[in-house]
Structure formats: structure tokens, C-alpha cells
Amino acid sequence: RESMGGRLDDYLLCGNQHLSVLTRSYLLEIATKAGFKNIKFCLPTKETFHSELIDKQIFEKEWESDFENPHTLIMEAEKL
């Protein structure tokens, strides 16, 4: 792994054999290597960059109390 998040995941979780810690940098690394473009991170329960695809009612089913340190990380990307 190249990103700080990817290296931390590998170090903490026995060579990526059991679990994954998905940080922003690690998700960005994985998505970029998989060929995704236009990668953006969204505020949980508040934001999407693809409103034509996402039903806003789904936001009512989720919760977030700390937008500086959210418990959920949401990434949207496109694969052309």
C-alpha cells in the first residue's frame, strides 16, 4: 500500500488478512488504482454530488452528530 491509510491498515491488521480500516487516503488510493475518476467525499446525511441518482429520503435514515469527525465516510466516484 502506498497511502498512509493503506500502510496503517496493513500494519494494524496482520497484512490485510482480516479487516480493513478505510481512511480517506486509502479509499482514494483504491479507487484511483481501480480506474475511478472524479472522486469526491461527501458530508454524511447532507451531501451528494449525484442527486439525480440518490434519493434524498435516504438521508433521513442515517444520522451524524459530528461533521468534523464523522463516523461514516462517504465517497462518490465515476468509472468511465
Side-chain angles (χ1 to χ4, degrees):
R1 304 292 181 218
E2 297 170 17
S3 68
M4 181 62 75
R7 289 186 300 219
L8 177 64
D9 175 65
D10 194 49
Y11 175 77
L12 290 176
L13 304 171
C14 306
N16 204 23
Q17 296 175 18
H18 305 286
L19 303 169
S20 288
V21 175
L22 297 174
T23 62
R24 287 176 91 103
S25 65
Y26 191 23
L27 278 173
L28 187 59
E29 174 186 346
I30 293 168
T32 301
K33 286 189 174 194
F36 285 90
K37 307 285 184 209
N38 199 21
I39 301 167
K40 296 177 183 175
F41 290 91
C42 305
L43 288 174
T45 74
K46 291 186 180 252
E47 186 175 48
T48 179
F49 295 100
H50 296 281
S51 58
E52 72 281 4
L53 301 174
I54 305 295
D55 183 352
K56 297 274 186 170
Q57 290 180 342
I58 199 166
F59 293 149
E60 296 170 8
K61 297 178 182 184
E62 297 293 328
W63 64 272
E64 184 62 65
S65 59
D66 183 357
F67 292 98
E68 292 295 318
N69 300 294
H71 76 284
T72 301
L73 183 60
I74 298 177
M75 178 184 76
E76 295 179 348
E78 299 173 356
K79 187 144 187 188
L80 306 173

